Amino acid sequence: MNKLDNDLNILKRRVEREKQARQSAERLLELKSLELYNSNKSLQKSNLNLDAIVSERTQDLKKITFKATQTAIDLQASLDRIKLVINAANAIILDWIILDDTFTCSSKIEIELGYPLEFITNYQKFLNIIHSDERRAVKSLVTEHLETGESFNIDCRLLHKNGKYLWFHIIGQVVRDDNAIPTRLVGSLTNINSRIENAKTIKKMAEIDTLTGISNRRYFNEYIEKLLLKHNKTPLLFSIFIIDLNDFKLINDRYGHEIGDKTLNYISNLLRTQISNEDFLARLGGDEFALIIQNQNSLNDLNLFCEQLKTNADKYLEIEGFSFSANLSIGIAQFPQDGVSVERLLRCADIAMYSAKRLKVSGSHFEIYSAELERDSNRRSHLRLEIEAALKESEFCLAFQPCFDLKNQSFESCEALLRWPSMNPELCIQDVISVAEDSGLILQIGEWVIEEACKFIAELSHSGIENKVTVNLSAIQFQYQDIVSIIKNAANKNKIDPSLLHIEVTENLFLDNMEKATYTLEALHELGMEIYIDDFGTGYSSLKYLQILPVDWVKIDKTFIDGLGKGENSLQIVKAIVAMSHSMNLKVVAEGVENIDQFELLSQIDCDVIQGYYKSKPLSKQEYINFIIESQTEFELLVSV
Amino acid sequence: MKGIIFTEFLQLVEDNFGYDVVDEILQKTELPSNGVYTSVGTYNHIEILSLASNLEKISGIPLNDLLVIYGKYLFPRLLKLAGELAIEYHSTFELLESLDSIIHVEVLKLYPEAELPKFLVTRHTKTELDLIYSSCRPFAYLAKGLIEGCITHYQEDIEISLTNRDTHMEFNSVIELTKR
């Protein structure tokens, strides 16, 4: 019974527990249902809120998406533009990511250098295509740019796939991270090969004389400067030649500029054939050439070289049917003995050249610079200044040397001679005339002489003397002045008959410009003036001139007269000149007659007129007038007796 | 502590000792819940210790052994309830290694108020694994039982030992597992 009761109690307790548990579970279920309901409500509310937020966010997102799409379109357009610019630009764009050493180039590299895009993949491969002469410079510039930000900008040669190097201009700019560490280098390679090649051609063209194809003055200066710099390292000897074509202006005037140009080419070729590869030839301009010779520096060498040059230059040349000689005046200076600067050497060569040029009438000449030449040059420069001053101060005057007519036994003419009373006693008047001719002052002097001679003729006339006065005219005057007008004007001004004025010229006149000289002399002749060939026998003494030109008189040079009575030679020459002149209807004057023997001989051989100290020295105006009056009186007395 | 721990414990006692013993331990133990448990309720963990303690007295089986037995019994029951949680694991070690980082995280989503023990799992070799149990509740042996249940589930041969390192601050034990 107890057991049964006990079991019953247990069961009752169990049922009670289960009941309580069920109730507890039901309560919990209700509680959880309520919680669930509340949660549901709250969730619904949250859902609504969420919907609103979602809707709002969706709108925002749409806006952002639209904006992003727009930005992407803009970006794409911008990228397309950049791509177009990169493709259109004459440049290869390069991009080096430093951190992982990846190197990329734009597709232009295929066109410009012939490499596929994947050819240059790292920095070293890029360096490999740079010419070895510039590689180190590029490398150090890149390093410097990365370290200091110093501009990266250089010209260098890059190897084309075909094996040729082309010039490129490289620029680059480093990109750094927030810690200023270089992360990449962006830049461009611009092909400047044509520009560089053109610049080389232009430089070459700038160095060449277009007419002759030899170097020009500019390159000559550059060359000689370099040569002098070289001398600082290795002592060397060289000679500078300044070569001037004599009377180039006359060649141009006479034959035209085309022939003139051809003559310059001829000279250029002539010089070129005379020199070796180490020598340097340039045309400095006009008719002036320069030569630098390095392997012939002894005086003997130079003399031989110049003689050879002279011989070749003096040969007659034929250009388009014209035959003439192109004579050269050559001045030589030697380095280092004459000077060590360009200026000094050129000056020395110039001095020597001008000295040689004074002898141009007899063909090509050369002079090697010496201190004596420079002193002479300085003297001449100084004298030139003195002549100018003398002209200003009217220090010149004329002296008149009476000329005795052997047939008429009377003084019928005189030669007007230039005098400079205050002249340095170490000089002679020929020195003055030489300098005046070189400097062109002869034109002023010559004009003054004509004026003075005409004035003197007028004075003689006033004194009842009708004597002819001969004046000497320089070839320079014929070349540069209108002699006919000058004489006409002077004659008119002084109211004299121009036929009383006679003209003395030397043979040089015809050498310079035969046609012009002929034309002028004919015009003077028409004015009634008589023409004398002075110093006959010393120059070319060409009979051709005597035949063609309107010459009336031949004046035998004093050197032949000096020889009279001392041997047969001079007498024979003088006799021949007289006979020849007479046969050509020319009259003869013998100048420098100083003694009775000469006088007698000349009388015997039928000379027409004599002039010299034997009869009278040159006289001042008044002395001359007195002399003539006196001699006329004497003659009248003699005739009356 | 979730009610299922209590209901399953009482079910174990009933299955093995009969409802008489269930009634006896419920009667003998002073329980704030009066021994009325529903699996969905929440009760003080002390109650289960008191119940186990009284069962020890009645059965003569030491408390720790009782907790191990209960753990081993409980594992398949829990697995049945939350099978999808463990479905992707294929061994005891795998499951234990994801205990703290995955399983407990999921449990907390279902029961936000749950106070879960910490498991620090260290795999030394392919065959050796340590699990440090730390909690404010003395259920290391229950954990050991659960692991044994797991081993049985995966049909593995793993030796398991427990070393107690309790401090006055917390309950702490090292459970060492060695595959044989």
Side-chain angles (χ1 to χ4, degrees), chain A residues 134-333:
Chain A
E134 291 108 33
R135 193 179 298 145
R136 185 174 288 183
V138 173
K139 206 174 165 182
S140 57
L141 207 60
V142 167
T143 309
E144 201 182 335
H145 178 63
L146 296 182
E147 281 172 5
T148 65
E150 196 69 25
S151 74
F152 172 40
N153 181 341
I154 190 171
D155 291 347
C156 70
R157 279 164 292 173
L158 300 180
L159 182 65
H160 190 280
K161 197 185 171 190
N162 66 14
K164 287 182 185 165
Y165 279 96
L166 301 175
W167 280 98
F168 276 80
H169 178 65
I170 310 182
I171 54 168
Q173 179 62 52
V174 64
V175 178
R176 297 174 191 279
D177 66 9
D178 295 342
N179 300 318
I181 306 293
T183 55
R184 71 198 280 187
L185 183 80
V186 184
S188 71
L189 307 170
T190 310
N191 187 333
I192 54 164
N193 203 55
S194 316
R195 205 172 79 201
I196 297 261
E197 290 302 326
N198 287 344
K200 275 187 195 165
T201 310
I202 289 166
K203 188 174 184 292
K204 201 172 176 189
M205 279 168 73
E207 290 169 351
I208 295 291
D209 172 53
T210 46
L211 175 65
T212 57
I214 59 173
S215 302
N216 60 15
R217 175 182 282 275
R218 188 173 167 275
Y219 190 48
F220 170 79
N221 289 337
E222 211 174 286
Y223 180 86
I224 196 166
E225 289 285 1
K226 274 186 196 160
L227 202 62
L228 291 178
L229 275 178
K230 198 170 144 193
H231 170 73
N232 290 338
K233 292 172 190 161
T234 331
L236 50 87
L237 299 170
F238 63 86
S239 305
I240 293 186
F241 289 53
I242 297 290
I243 301 164
D244 200 84
L245 173 57
N246 293 338
D247 300 320
F248 178 59
K249 187 181 177 303
L250 291 177
I251 294 172
N252 270 334
D253 290 348
R254 195 178 301 171
Y255 308 113
H257 287 279
E258 204 179 319
I259 303 284
D261 287 351
K262 286 186 173 170
T263 309
L264 290 174
N265 264 316
Y266 170 83
I267 296 299
S268 153
N269 287 331
L270 174 72
L271 294 171
R272 209 159 17 194
T273 55
Q274 301 287 304
I275 58 175
S276 68
N277 284 342
E278 296 96 63
D279 303 333
F280 182 86
L281 172 66
R283 180 176 167 224
L284 300 186
D287 55 359
E288 197 172 52
F289 294 84
L291 197 57
I292 297 173
I293 289 194
Q294 293 193 56
N295 50 9
Q296 297 177 73
N297 291 295
S298 73
L299 280 181
N300 196 31
D301 284 347
L302 288 174
N303 278 320
L304 281 172
F305 179 83
C306 289
E307 286 295 347
Q308 182 66 39
L309 200 56
K310 244 175 67 134
T311 310
N312 288 325
D314 285 344
K315 283 177 188 162
Y316 267 73
L317 59 108
E318 287 266 337
I319 297 175
E320 297 192 358
F322 296 104
S323 175
F324 57 93
S325 68
N327 300 324
L328 304 176
S329 295
I330 305 163
I332 302 154

Side-chain angles (χ1 to χ4, degrees), chain B residues 138-156:
Chain B
F139 290 115
Y141 283 94
L142 179 62
K144 188 185 176 213
L146 281 165
I147 294 167
E148 284 182 8
C150 180
I151 292 166
T152 306
H153 170 73
Y154 288 116
Q155 299 178 334
E156 291 174 297

Side-chain angles (χ1 to χ4, degrees), chain A residues 230-477:
Chain A
K230 198 170 144 193
H231 170 73
N232 290 338
K233 292 172 190 161
T234 331
L236 50 87
L237 299 170
F238 63 86
S239 305
I240 293 186
F241 289 53
I242 297 290
I243 301 164
D244 200 84
L245 173 57
N246 293 338
D247 300 320
F248 178 59
K249 187 181 177 303
L250 291 177
I251 294 172
N252 270 334
D253 290 348
R254 195 178 301 171
Y255 308 113
H257 287 279
E258 204 179 319
I259 303 284
D261 287 351
K262 286 186 173 170
T263 309
L264 290 174
N265 264 316
Y266 170 83
I267 296 299
S268 153
N269 287 331
L270 174 72
L271 294 171
R272 209 159 17 194
T273 55
Q274 301 287 304
I275 58 175
S276 68
N277 284 342
E278 296 96 63
D279 303 333
F280 182 86
L281 172 66
R283 180 176 167 224
L284 300 186
D287 55 359
E288 197 172 52
F289 294 84
L291 197 57
I292 297 173
I293 289 194
Q294 293 193 56
N295 50 9
Q296 297 177 73
N297 291 295
S298 73
L299 280 181
N300 196 31
D301 284 347
L302 288 174
N303 278 320
L304 281 172
F305 179 83
C306 289
E307 286 295 347
Q308 182 66 39
L309 200 56
K310 244 175 67 134
T311 310
N312 288 325
D314 285 344
K315 283 177 188 162
Y316 267 73
L317 59 108
E318 287 266 337
I319 297 175
E320 297 192 358
F322 296 104
S323 175
F324 57 93
S325 68
N327 300 324
L328 304 176
S329 295
I330 305 163
I332 302 154
Q334 289 176 285
F335 175 86
Q337 69 190 62
D338 297 337
V340 290
S341 70
V342 180
E343 295 74 24
R344 175 67 192 157
L345 287 165
L346 288 177
R347 177 168 158 66
C348 292
D350 249 4
I351 287 168
M353 191 274 285
Y354 279 111
S355 178
K357 206 173 203 38
R358 281 198 284 279
L359 304 167
K360 69 175 181 179
V361 287
S362 55
S364 296
H365 279 277
F366 68 89
E367 285 283 0
I368 297 170
Y369 170 82
S370 66
E372 180 51 38
L373 279 186
E374 185 162 12
R375 276 195 293 277
D376 185 49
S377 169
N378 290 340
R379 268 199 301 272
R380 292 175 75 87
S381 300
H382 186 65
L383 183 53
R384 182 208 153 115
L385 294 173
E386 287 183 332
I387 295 168
E388 274 181 307
L391 270 169
K392 262 188 200 163
E393 299 298 324
S394 305
E395 289 178 11
F396 289 106
C397 63
L398 291 181
F400 302 92
Q401 187 164 38
C403 297
F404 186 71
D405 189 308
L406 289 168
K407 280 194 184 109
N408 299 334
Q409 292 291 302
S410 63
F411 294 96
E412 292 176 1
S413 63
C414 63
E415 183 184 2
L417 299 165
L418 186 67
R419 290 293 181 265
W420 182 11
S422 56
M423 183 173 71
N424 181 341
E426 288 175 9
L427 295 172
C428 70
I429 200 72
Q430 276 313 315
D431 296 333
V432 175
I433 289 168
S434 168
V435 170
E437 284 189 322
D438 277 358
S439 62
L441 287 170
I442 196 69
L443 301 178
Q444 211 178 329
I445 294 172
E447 210 173 332
W448 176 83
V449 168
I450 290 167
E451 170 67 25
E452 281 299 300
C454 290
K455 208 186 274 177
F456 184 57
I457 292 168
E459 280 178 44
L460 288 173
S461 191
H462 289 146
S463 306
I465 304 165
E466 193 164 290
N467 260 13
K468 292 152 196 145
V469 177
T470 62
V471 291
N472 292 277
L473 291 187
S474 159
I476 313 270
Q477 286 176 272

Side-chain angles (χ1 to χ4, degrees), chain B residues 144 159-163 174-178:
Chain B
K144 188 185 176 213
E159 191 182 310
I160 180 163
S161 69
L162 188 146
T163 312
V174 179
I175 301 169
E176 293 171 322
L177 284 84
T178 309

Side-chain angles (χ1 to χ4, degrees), chain A residues 38-57:
Chain A
N38 288 335
S39 291
N40 204 19
K41 264 175 82 180
S42 168
L43 268 174
Q44 277 177 351
K45 204 177 167 186
S46 292
N47 271 346
L48 285 173
N49 283 342
L50 269 175
D51 284 347
I53 291 168
V54 165
S55 169
E56 198 181 317
R57 291 284 184 271

Side-chain angles (χ1 to χ4, degrees), chain B residues 65-130:
Chain B
D65 291 352
L66 277 175
L67 285 172
V68 171
I69 291 163
Y70 175 48
K72 200 170 173 183
Y73 170 81
L74 187 60
F75 182 83
R77 313 282 291 184
L78 291 178
L79 193 67
K80 205 174 175 186
L81 285 172
E84 74 274 13
L85 266 182
I87 205 154
E88 57 194 278
Y89 306 113
H90 304 93
S91 71
T92 307
F93 282 9
E94 257 186 53
L95 189 134
L96 290 177
E97 276 169 335
S98 56
L99 202 58
D100 237 21
S101 58
I102 296 170
I103 296 173
H104 281 179
V105 171
E106 295 300 320
V107 171
L108 278 173
K109 283 182 194 167
L110 280 172
Y111 309 104
E113 74 282 10
E115 291 174 335
L116 301 168
K118 289 255 174 284
F119 291 104
L120 180 62
V121 177
T122 311
R123 172 97 76 116
H124 297 295
T125 65
K126 274 187 178 178
T127 55
E128 289 177 334
L129 180 141
D130 278 1

